[in-house]
Amino acid sequence: MNDVLSPELIVVGGPVYTADPQIEWVEAFAVQNGKIVAVGSEAEIRGFAVDTTTVLDTGGKLVLPGLSDGHIHLGLGGSQAAWELPILPTDSKEVIFEKIKGWSANLGPDEWIVGGIVGSTVMDAVMNVDDLASLDEAAGGRPVLLRDDSMHNRWVNTRALDLMRVTGDTADLEGGSYVRDTTGRLTGVLHELASANAEAAFDSSIADPDSRNIASLKKALEVVNSFGITAVQDAATMEYSWKALSAIETSGEMSAWVVGSMPARPFIESGYVGEELFGIAAGYRSEHLRPDFVKFVLDGVPMTRTTAMLRPYVCHDQQDPGYVGSSYWTLEELLEAIELCYDRGLSGKLHATGDASVRLALDAIEIMRERRGPGPVFQIAHVEFVDAADVPRFAALGVIPDASPYIWYPGVIQESIGNQIPAETVNASWATKDLIDSGALLAAGSDWPCVLPSPDPWIGIQTLVTRANIDPTVAGELNPSQKLTVSDAIAAFTRNPAAAMGLGAVTGSIKPGLSADFILLDQNIFAIDAHEIHATRVEATYFEGKKVYDRRQSVT
């Protein structure tokens, strides 16, 4: 065997959780040319070593495969981490105003103040002209663009509205609105596609967007690597991301597999979409960059009552008691779009936050499967609300449920959702165990920078297992019948999203033939109280056998 293998690295000291159902636990493995070439006992693997082999002894620390984040926004997250005013979703509006004042001290009189993430509970409260005036005062005449925790909505001030050329007479957009108070005055809150107007106005102020975007994407990769993430599916990949990521790839600095999802229609970020974007992205394909998915946004978010539901929303004063929202797509439009995926050899990621939009997606996919056969991979995000009758359809149709456990806790989105969605529907939400039991391949993603200021996977893994807030002072569990085992939760952050994004033969497990993507942890998440999983820290991250993150050398 030594005549065949000449590993540059062997990893010993165990335990190693492979996330490979065929052999879940091993003591050691060997790496050659950036790939795993053998797994087994420590004695076996040490026997493969040659004079030039580096021996990594983990000292008993748990080793896992590099994690896969199946739903992330690298451009927005990297930009937020690299450049923008940090706001916590739990910050009150008063705290936000003070942070803006402090941030403004180092800015010129016309520089934009861009920041996030503003909690949905704050967004619910600031739809009035008094808070718009307070935002104006805090900014000292500078334009302000704040993003909420869903990334679907924005909060801007009067100066920004002026630069957007939005006045009290400006009509709402199809798929978006400039929120007004009861007297018709602009409040500075933007819903859905109206946010793209603000993003475009800010983008036009950037003197060297290419350099900024490269720095943002590099920062995004640093952040995900620090949490042990080595493969991601970007959930809405615009031209600027492809261009910046390609530059990083060319420079040899790529430290993760990136699968892109290209919006089929106008998105909350400005730029080309649809056929034009598909063509642009194809030109950036490389070993680590894969423009393989189309992004379809079927509805909005429940906090702004733009999600399509099967049952009525909570009725507030002067609201229609029968209101259920509506999808942005008709069945006929969606069928045409899904057929395009078949014709172009692309897969699809469908944003569908309501049970009605989930059913629409499943109906369209079922019809197209009957017409065209198995074909592309389709994912439905975020599967918060799925009618019980639709749960088994995921496995039957080969559709991936793309779950976002970060939405549950410890952010404030769930509180805002509870103000709009009936309790019985919320209490039956996130049917993760039922989806797994029905045979579906449950994949998870952070949706960073939505909900929380980092893509910390250990919060998501703990939430899948405990269904409880990571804050022990907050009582209660959300639909506890849906608790997962630790191994099932890890699968949702390793091999499952890797397979869902088309990388199942590349990464996601520690097994021969796959990329040597692995991480060392500071605690064994199988051996501790599940309520402590969120405190896990990554000691080191390896991508293709090379260390891309070392906690001892990081100040992140």
Side-chain angles (χ1 to χ4, degrees), residues 73 126 141 194 220 225 256 322 325 388 432 452 455 457 460 462 531 553:
H73 297 271
V126 297
N225 289 160
T432 49
L452 297 176
Q462 176 173 315
H531 293 85
Q553 300 173 1

Side-chain angles (χ1 to χ4, degrees), residues 182-227:
T182 55
T183 67
R185 294 175 295 178
L186 292 169
T187 64
V189 174
L190 314 176
H191 284 171
E192 300 294 336
L193 289 186
S195 301
N197 192 346
E199 294 288 349
F202 166 61
D203 288 345
S204 68
S205 73
I206 300 172
D208 186 359
D210 289 346
S211 295
R212 179 187 173 96
N213 291 333
I214 291 171
S216 297
L217 270 298
K218 282 184 178 180
K219 184 64 176 180
L221 292 170
E222 290 175 11
V223 170
V224 298
N225 289 160
S226 74
F227 288 104

Side-chain angles (χ1 to χ4, degrees), residues 17 25 62 64 486-487 490 523-528:
Y17 183 73
W25 292 95
L62 178 64
L64 292 182
V486 173
S487 58
I490 291 175
Q523 61 179 354
N524 187 335
I525 60 177
F526 289 91
I528 61 174

Side-chain angles (χ1 to χ4, degrees), residues 46 97 136 170 200 254 280-281 291 306 349 379 414 416-417 425 443-444 499-500 518 528 549:
R46 283 188 180 275
F97 295 144
D136 291 339
T170 302
M254 185 58 62
I280 290 168
T306 51
K349 181 182 280 287
Q379 307 167 1
Q414 204 65 34
S416 185
I417 289 172
T425 302
F518 62 94
I528 61 174
Y549 170 74

Side-chain angles (χ1 to χ4, degrees), residues 91-104:
D91 285 344
S92 67
K93 62 185 180 182
E94 290 79 14
V95 168
I96 293 171
F97 295 144
E98 288 303 312
K99 284 188 173 183
I100 289 172
K101 289 178 183 178
W103 191 262
S104 300

Side-chain angles (χ1 to χ4, degrees), residues 407-419:
I407 290 176
W408 312 342
Y409 306 112
V412 297
I413 279 185
Q414 204 65 34
E415 180 182 343
S416 185
I417 289 172
N419 291 331

